[in-house]
Amino acid sequence: MSNEIFTKLSLLPRLSDVFVWCDYIELRCLVHPDKSFSRSDLMETQEEMTDTRDDADDISDEEYAEDLGLDFDEFQHDEMYQSTPAVNDRLQQKTYERFLHLKSRLRHFGDELYPFYFDEELQSIYLKDELTDWHYFYIQLLISSALRYCPRSRRHELTGPFEEVSYAIFKCLMPQGWVVHPFGKDKSSRYRGHLYDKLSLLADDVRGELAAKRTHFSERDQGDGGLDLVAWHPMSDERNLIPMAFAQCGCTAEEFGMKMLEASPSKLGLHLKVGYEWACYYFMPQSMLTNDGKDWLKYSDFSRSIVVDRFRIMRIAKQYQVNIHEVIKRETIQEALEISFY
């Protein structure tokens, strides 16, 4: 069995959201021998699923619609919509909309940050021949969002580097004088061992109290309790009522709204008692920009967190002159670039 970084590229995205499909198109461009991917390539991939559906009796209408990136409510209530010609027409429209959204990424990220370009007719996307460090940085965030196509045994090679990137950006966002630490499993030099011990030390650090017992946790719980990054300002004394910020880093495109609450007072406030509630951040490698760049995609799914997506990560890194050499994992990126998948 192959242990390449991406072994499931024949799978289509599970969700119909445009940002998920655009990441898939960019990824397919990345691994194509010609470093390109066209609208007709995407149509062919989707049509193959349509043609073979009769032999897939175990696939429900909902799964089928989702696999094609179509809206299930429309598919379910419109019999004409379920016919092959109608499906193909809808797929062509969806394909165009996805490439249009990709073109908006080039506009908002700009040539300096965006590693792809398009032909004049918007028929195909191409990987640039000469890639800069900033292009590599974009590709790293892109592949961090591609857990669906990565073997479970290697997913830590995508999630771990993303936590490192998030830590670098989190430090930029914290004002001068703040103390910033990674808290995530296997990432912290300060918070180690059993989760109870980690949270107890954190409670001391932020002048609070852990209102829980060791017996409330599993004996083998070495996890992070939903925290990946923590920060506070000591305020030059040892009293409570200090400013704090906690963050969660999530690479999945599914159910991210719930993950946005992992580091929030709503999740941890029952056990971690402090005099003043902390700010909650959520880092994600997906780009949630709308076409006009003025709003969020899937905003109705957001929870109450400060969201730092791919666009913000890259722009903040540029603004604060982050040394991206320290966070780019060139071996992983190079492996992805050397994959040959039609």
Side-chain angles (χ1 to χ4, degrees), residues 177-275:
W178 280 58
V179 179
V180 185
H181 287 286
F183 192 88
K185 184 179 179 181
D186 302 326
K187 295 297 179 183
S188 178
S189 59
R190 179 169 179 77
Y191 303 100
R192 292 183 173 275
H194 192 274
L195 179 56
Y196 176 82
D197 297 323
K198 295 178 185 177
L199 291 175
S200 295
L201 178 55
L202 177 62
D204 290 340
D205 285 338
V206 297
R207 324 281 172 79
E209 177 186 356
L210 184 61
K213 304 174 184 176
R214 181 179 288 272
T215 55
H216 290 154
F217 301 85
S218 168
E219 291 182 3
R220 295 181 292 179
D221 193 343
Q222 304 283 321
D224 56 30
L227 293 178
D228 287 315
L229 308 168
V230 296
W232 67 90
H233 195 294
M235 300 294 283
S236 301
D237 62 23
E238 298 181 0
R239 294 175 291 180
N240 66 353
L241 303 177
I242 62 174
M244 297 166 285
F246 298 163
Q248 163 72 202
C249 309
C251 289
T252 179
E254 300 177 349
E255 298 181 350
F256 58 80
M258 293 301 296
K259 287 189 69 65
M260 287 180 181
L261 292 175
E262 288 290 306
S264 73
S266 298
K267 174 69 162 51
L268 298 171
L270 179 64
H271 306 300
L272 184 58
K273 303 294 184 181
V274 293

Side-chain angles (χ1 to χ4, degrees), residues 8 134 269 341:
K8 302 178 181 180
W134 286 103
F341 185 84

Side-chain angles (χ1 to χ4, degrees), residues 20-30 37 42 95 98-99 102 116 125:
V20 177
W21 278 83
C22 286
D23 284 352
Y24 176 72
I25 294 168
E26 290 176 346
L27 187 63
R28 288 294 300 267
C29 176
L30 201 69
F37 196 70
L42 184 59
T95 299
R98 290 160 186 161
F99 271 75
L102 283 169
F116 304 97
I125 182 173

Side-chain angles (χ1 to χ4, degrees), residues 39 96 99 103 118-124 126:
R39 284 157 59 179
Y96 173 71
F99 271 75
K103 189 68 176 292
F118 305 87
D119 55 22
E120 292 183 2
E121 294 78 22
L122 198 58
Q123 293 293 331
S124 298
Y126 304 87

